[in-house]
Amino acid sequence: MTAPAMIQSLIYFLSEHPSIITFRWSHSRLWGSTWSFVFAAIAAYVASSLLLHRLLLLLFRSRRPLPLGPIPALHSLSMTLISLTIFTGILLSAAAEIRDTRWFWRRSRTTPFQWLLCFPMGTRPSGRVFFWSYVFYLSRFLHTLGTFFAILRRRRLSPFQLLNHSIPIFMSFLWLEFSQSFQVLAILLTTSIYSVVYAYRFWTAIGLRSACFPFVVNCQVVLLGCNILCHIGVLLLHFIKGGCNGIGAWVFNSVLNAAILLLFLNFYLKMHLPQIRRNNGCVAVKDKGT
């Protein structure tokens, strides 16, 4: 198969396949699409994490890490590939949506960037970008496996870990439930950063040299900074353009993002800043899983 044919095939399967074009968010047809499921799933994740942490402390006096073999490396590699696939899929799907609805935007004087930040009022959770939003929502459950690896290897469990994995599940559910604005850009930013983060974790998991600074934490700082800027853009467009779809869910998500930011700053100041001051130079710093 020639390179152009491969590219066309990739575009078809990531943005033009009938299952993607005809996707519709439905409580009755899609796995994990109900309020009861998302609350039960988050509660089960928190309860199982606490239970595993307590059992290991009771059964094993020493804090020696349990051998997990290649499992963490395989998880990191899988999450890298999943993040890259979602990033490529939603990027191609957003481009296709822009192409197909450009005629309507010219009448309303809306630019593609404004659409990425602010969905028009009345937008329904169907079509290409919402298909990839649903895939992203499902991938957040795989993301939680990192908590169990941290417990098994370091006997460590912090409230920040639990909230840092629970809140994104709930936020991505709200994106679909209320057709919330800004989700396309949020998914693009998150999957691009996390493809790099998990690639780095795979790199270090197979024994290669780690960075001389907390690489994962710095990537999360970049992601949080970009999210703050985009949230400001959504707020401005909401008042300038006469409303953005799902603004109520966006406000609630902003509160959750602020909570993550405060918890992250507290985590960073306690866990990483003293270590950087002690090193006082380019000495390999091992990122602690979050």
Side-chain angles (χ1 to χ4, degrees):
M1 185 180 289
T2 62
M6 290 180 64
I7 293 173
Q8 288 300 318
S9 179
L10 181 68
I11 292 173
Y12 172 78
F13 284 108
L14 293 181
S15 65
E16 301 296 339
H17 192 277
S19 299
I20 297 177
I21 295 176
T22 60
F23 173 83
R24 183 177 297 275
W25 175 248
S26 170
H27 290 173
S28 59
R29 296 182 180 180
L30 296 176
W31 184 85
S33 60
T34 62
W35 286 91
S36 58
F37 175 89
V38 72
F39 283 123
I42 292 173
Y45 159 67
V46 173
S48 57
S49 299
L50 294 171
L51 180 61
L52 178 61
H53 184 248
R54 178 56 59 184
L55 283 175
L56 289 176
L57 291 179
L58 291 174
L59 295 176
F60 300 95
R61 296 283 180 165
S62 67
R63 289 183 174 264
R64 293 177 59 186
L66 294 179
L68 298 178
I71 295 176
L74 291 174
H75 175 256
S76 295
L77 179 60
S78 300
M79 290 303 298
T80 301
L81 297 175
I82 291 170
S83 297
L84 286 173
T85 301
I86 296 173
F87 174 84
T88 307
I90 199 167
L91 182 66
L92 293 173
S93 295
E97 292 292 339
I98 292 169
R99 178 199 66 207
D100 294 345
T101 57
R102 189 173 296 164
W103 61 272
F104 173 76
W105 292 355
R106 286 173 182 169
R107 291 182 1 184
S108 60
R109 296 182 180 180
T110 300
T111 65
F113 184 71
Q114 288 174 340
W115 175 78
L116 290 172
L117 284 173
C118 178
F119 285 157
M121 298 295 290
T123 298
R124 301 298 180 189
S126 60
R128 297 180 179 92
V129 296
F130 289 99
F131 170 85
W132 288 108
S133 183
Y134 176 62
V135 176
F136 178 82
Y137 164 63
L138 297 180
S139 73
R140 295 304 86 195
F141 293 99
L142 295 176
H143 185 60
T144 61
L145 293 177
T147 300
F148 300 103
F149 296 152
I151 295 171
L152 291 169
R153 287 190 296 188
R154 292 186 287 273
R155 309 288 197 280
R156 184 173 59 83
L157 180 64
S158 67
F160 173 71
Q161 281 179 302
L162 295 176
L163 290 172
N164 192 42
H165 288 168
S166 299
I167 289 176
I169 293 175
F170 190 59
M171 285 197 302
S172 54
F173 175 84
L174 293 179
W175 292 350
L176 289 157
E177 185 69 15
F178 296 101
S179 305
Q180 186 196 303
S181 298
F182 167 59
Q183 61 180 282
V184 176
L185 261 184
I187 294 171
L188 286 171
L189 290 170
T190 303
T191 52
S192 61
I193 292 294
Y194 272 86
S195 61
V196 175
V197 166
Y198 279 106
Y200 171 76
R201 285 178 172 168
F202 174 73
W203 173 274
T204 56
I206 61 177
L208 298 176
R209 185 176 179 181
S210 60
C212 62
F213 58 93
F215 182 85
V216 173
V217 172
N218 286 356
C219 287
Q220 290 174 324
V221 169
V222 172
L223 179 59
L224 288 169
C226 291
N227 277 333
I228 290 171
L229 292 176
C230 289
H231 274 282
I232 294 172
V234 173
L235 187 62
L236 292 174
L237 283 174
H238 176 68
F239 292 108
I240 294 172
K241 301 293 290 184
C244 297
N245 200 70
I247 196 65
W250 174 85
V251 171
F252 187 67
N253 268 331
S254 298
V255 174
L256 294 178
N257 274 316
I260 290 179
L261 178 60
L262 292 175
L263 287 167
F264 174 79
L265 291 174
N266 181 63
F267 174 82
Y268 181 81
L269 292 174
K270 285 184 176 180
M271 300 294 293
H272 291 282
L273 195 58
Q275 187 176 3
I276 295 172
R277 286 175 176 173
R278 285 197 303 268
N279 287 331
N280 195 26
C282 191
V283 181
V285 177
K286 185 166 182 164
D287 283 287
K288 295 184 171 52
T290 57

